[in-house]
Amino acid sequence: MSSWYLLLATGMLLTIGGALWRVWRGPDQADRMMAAQLVGSGGVATILLLAAATQEWAMLDVALVLALLAALAAIAFVKSVRGSGRGDPEDDAQPDAAQADEAP
């Protein structure tokens, strides 16, 4: 069974390699960020498969940290793309609606 896990982990590493190519050659920032998210997800999957294959359950903590870092990277990307540096577009919509009510 562990050889099956190792074969799947090898396939996930090939997927990560394709995503790294897209990060390097991506035509747009959003494409690069989506590929970086794929690297994070593929990395988590690879670590989980390796943990199951080798029975080293401490690697689950590493997979959890990598998943959290991938989520934080997505949040940082969204905040960097917005001009104001804030990430919640709903906060911007509420003051505009209040100003529209006050206008004659």
Side-chain angles (χ1 to χ4, degrees), residues 25-84:
R25 299 281 300 182
D28 194 15
Q29 286 183 347
D31 294 328
R32 289 183 171 140
M33 188 62 217
M34 290 301 295
Q37 289 297 308
L38 179 61
V39 169
S41 300
V44 169
T46 302
I47 291 171
L48 291 176
L49 287 168
L50 291 175
T54 61
Q55 301 293 316
E56 290 288 333
W57 301 113
M59 285 197 280
L60 295 177
D61 295 333
V62 175
L64 179 62
V65 169
L66 185 59
L68 289 172
L69 285 174
L72 290 175
I75 292 169
F77 173 74
V78 170
K79 286 185 166 281
S80 71
V81 169
R82 296 199 31 106
S84 64

Side-chain angles (χ1 to χ4, degrees), residues 3-29:
S3 63
W4 178 247
Y5 288 141
L6 292 175
L7 181 66
L8 289 173
T10 304
M12 289 305 301
L13 285 175
L14 292 174
T15 302
I16 292 171
L20 287 175
W21 174 260
R22 179 54 55 194
V23 168
W24 183 55
R25 299 281 300 182
D28 194 15
Q29 286 183 347

